[in-house]
Structure formats: C-alpha cells, structure tokens
Amino acid sequence: QAGICIDPEDSSQLTDAISQLVEMSNAELDQLGKNAAEYYQNELSLQVGVKLFLDVFYDVTIKAKEV
C-alpha cells in the first residue's frame, strides 16, 4: 500500500482518509512513503516514461518500414 485512494468529489472520504493517516504509527507512515517512492520509480519516473515513448516510436518506425 502506497497511500489511500478516495473519490475526489467525496469530502467524507477525504475526512476518513485523513483520520486513517493520523491514526497510523510512524513506522506505518514510513512504510507508505517507501512504497510510494518505489511505485514512482517503477511506474511513473522520467526514466520509465522515456522508455515507454521510445518503445512507441520504435514500434511506429518498424511498422512504417513494413508498409
């Protein structure tokens, strides 16, 4: 777990999520932070984004050569 997901239009869910975070221990909060950092590095980082773009460009180039 890297955080708490809520419906952005539901203020009661936001209140509940904040309450959950306030009740967590420092160790639990540290683990959430570590999990979030790992998720970012593996799924959202610039390096990952560039690789995805390069894969798309490569695929388009290969398909263009086949035509």
Side-chain angles (χ1 to χ4, degrees), residues 39-53:
Y39 180 80
Y40 171 80
Q41 287 299 324
N42 294 333
E43 305 294 332
L44 303 172
S45 68
L46 179 60
Q47 184 177 18
V48 171
V50 167
K51 183 186 178 318
L52 290 172
F53 277 117

